[in-house]
Amino acid sequence: MLWPCGKLEQALGRACGTSAQQLDASFSTNANLEIFEVDFRDPSLDMKQKGALPASNRFHKLMWGNFGNGSAEPSGVLVGGGDNGVLTMYSVQRILTSKGDPVIGQTEKHSGPVRALDFNPFQSNLLASGANDSEIFIWDLNNFSVPMTPGTKSQPHEDISVVSWNRQVQHILSSAHPSGKAVVWDLRKNEPIIKVSDHSNRMHCSGMAWHPEVATQLVLSSEDDRLPVIQIWDLRFATSPLSQLEGHTRGVLAVSWCQADPELLLSSAKDNRILCWNPSMGEVVYELPIRSQWCFDVQWCPRNPSVFSAATFDGWINVYSVMGGNLEAQQRTQADKISSSFNNLDPFGTGQSLPPLQVPEQVTQTTLIPPLKKPPKWIRRPVGVSFAFGGKLITFGHTKAPGQQMQQTYPHQVFISQVTTETEFLLRSKELQMALQSGNLLDYCQGKIQTAKLPVDENLWNFLKVNLEQDSRTKLLKLLGYNTDGLISQALLLGNFEGAVELCMRAERFADAIILAIAGGDKLLKETQKRYFAKQKTNLSVVSDDIVCMCDLQSWKEALAILLTYSKHEDYTQLCDMLGARLESEGDAALSNDACLCYISSGNVERLVECWVKNHETSSPLALQDLIEKVMVLSRSIEMLRGIAGPAPGPVLAERITQYANLLASQGCLAAAMNYLPSSSKEVSEQQAVVGKSSVVGEVVLGMRECWGFLPEKFTPLAPITAPVMGMPAESQGTHPQLSRLQESGQSPPGAPKEGNLQVPGKVGLSCSFCINSAGFFSCQYHQLPGESIEKKELPPEHQALKTTFEGLVQRCSAVATDPKTRRKLEDALQRLECLYEKLREQALSPAILMGLHEIARCIEAKNYPQGLLVHTQVVSSSSFSEVSGFMPILKVLMTIAGKLNV
């Protein structure tokens, strides 16, 4: 059974302590302190206990503060006020872990029960407490032995029912007494500065709370059934209350003011009602169904503003939401309670068991609770949030300077921040990018082999690694468990002359085949001779597709070994693909994984992807990363083998690459995303044609390219951007300080909007206007400005030769290129080289990169393209990717094309 308790929620859960001066049905006087987890993801209604502790005293008040968070007490501390002036401080972490003494401080300085506690919202180490005889102490939790007092005790001496720190001014504290009087203390002066008192003499104060935003306003609640009201006071006019909330029919037991919205004030009373008020309007905006028990404590959750808790005298803690929902309450009869209390025995001592009581069956009732009619402040305009391209999160809303009130006017700010949710994915993506840029793929593959968790992955990475090495066929044979002549030797060792003859015949080692056939007997000899003459007559290829089509699939390794050993180069790829297709279509899931090894051996990237996605999930970021890693390494091995880029991706691969690029972009890695996409609009059209009717690929690619072309190379969006809001004062409008330098230098184009624009340096003819639209959401508008209004700088004379050499290479290649795809790449090259020229004009490249570019140009002039590619690799591997990603890839393409065309 849950005991009545006081509590203050944190992200961790809820603390509950046995209430003083109350007994349960068994009349137990034991005390407990319990911590429960509030997990809104759990569909069940029961809160799970995370820690428990027998307590030496029952509690009049229990508070959970964040004192010590992030250091010795990562979960904060609990402070409980008990009888006989006892004040105890507990370590939440030690209660949860059951390690060490949870009591980290205790004092008995007070006289009488400690009924009032409150933590200072500005200094977590300051705790106010109140007890009998007008006694108020201020405790420093760093030194929990000697308290201070706010001033001389108020006269006449009476009990302190509640203490509360002001929410705007950290040195203001208030206290209230059951008589209805409230005192406001100034700790800087150590004296009371004002007293508030109801002159009706019927105001028995049970609760008090400061206004969350207006420093001079507070509420007092009355427990007297003759005056069950909540009074709103303003200290600037303290002769009488500003207003009075009248809705309860019996005395008010507790009040709690929502810190996220001052228009939400909770109250509970002896009429069994829980109401939520709008204090400024004096009306009830939310009400829970009437319960059968008094609720003696209500509290808003400080972490989730829509959630509040209620503690009732029947021992239950319930958590509700002002956003509405269903309330499921199971009827429990008093007979059940009595039976459980007396353990089903006769309560009058006869020693006989009680006969079963015929009671109506318990029925589960569902009550619909409507939400607030007016949206709460934390989700109300002009507060808004929206995600933008590239994982950018745009937020706007009211800003509040410390110690100032919200009624004042402040500049409206739009905040742009980078949101990353896939940390491990980004780390692995960066490792792949570094390996591809540096060309050190062998070490990358070796690392994957060592960290592989499954044999399937280890085999795949072994095959991928071998594909990058010299004499890959021989090494693939070793991975399969064979040597070049090992097949024949193995057959002979096993006495399998037929197998040995078969291998020799396929290798056109006819003399060996005849000798082995003689040893195998007359029948084998005649068959071998017959096959020999037939082969000579029809001139069949050494290794036909018979091996692939007729072999036992369980012996696929032997078949692949024969292909590796004896097939001609021009047949090898096709035969490997045929074997893989058989493993896919006729085999089980394990053989389908083996088919991937065949496609790696043949270098067929598209078939590898098709086979992989049939048996593996690729929707999650890490699963997609697994696939792209294999695809990129295999693609690079094909480029190394053939000297040119492989064929355009097919539909399955194109779709996965687009998903991958889109995911990278959503995490803010725009440059990395661009590296996986086609380099021109024409290639985008080709890729769309491959994928089919879907235009998603083209839209994603073109959208990324357009946005990336607009954004500066180095964009740090973490600083706030002051932007105009509809209807806000003109003095609060402005531009981003990092981007206003362009306007200050006189480079802003004529006709550009003057207010609220982001002028992006390094890009001609574009500006971006940020505003809040009528719906209250962030909008971003692009304006095309007259490009001729900004004159381009001339290339520095020392770098003019780079432009001459690179553009001359494009012209030489274009003059002899006949392949349409190659011609399109050359056309796109001139546009992409503009990125290099722009950096040269702005002198934005490091000396090392400039030296490498001039060395590449010298290699091009000498037509030594292999050496130029080596220099290219050195430059890329030693430079920041964002520095060179705009132009170095196209230089590699140009040199590769030039080498192929021999120009």
Side-chain angles (χ1 to χ4, degrees), residues 468-498:
L468 294 164
E469 299 174 343
Q470 297 292 328
D471 196 13
S472 60
R473 279 207 189 187
T474 301
K475 293 179 179 178
L476 284 172
L477 273 173
K478 289 182 179 179
L479 285 178
L480 293 169
Y482 301 106
N483 296 320
T484 305
D485 288 327
L487 289 172
I488 299 173
S489 302
Q490 186 177 10
L492 292 175
L493 287 172
L494 295 175
N496 183 5
F497 291 100
E498 292 85 353

Side-chain angles (χ1 to χ4, degrees), residues 638-682:
I638 295 171
E639 290 179 18
M640 294 171 59
L641 178 65
R642 302 176 185 174
I644 58 172
V652 180
L653 176 55
E655 182 181 354
R656 296 311 184 280
I657 288 178
T658 304
Q659 291 175 357
Y660 186 69
N662 199 24
L663 181 57
L664 284 172
S666 72
Q667 300 295 308
C669 301
L670 292 174
M674 293 300 299
N675 205 40
Y676 294 91
L677 297 175
S679 58
S680 68
S681 299
K682 293 181 179 179

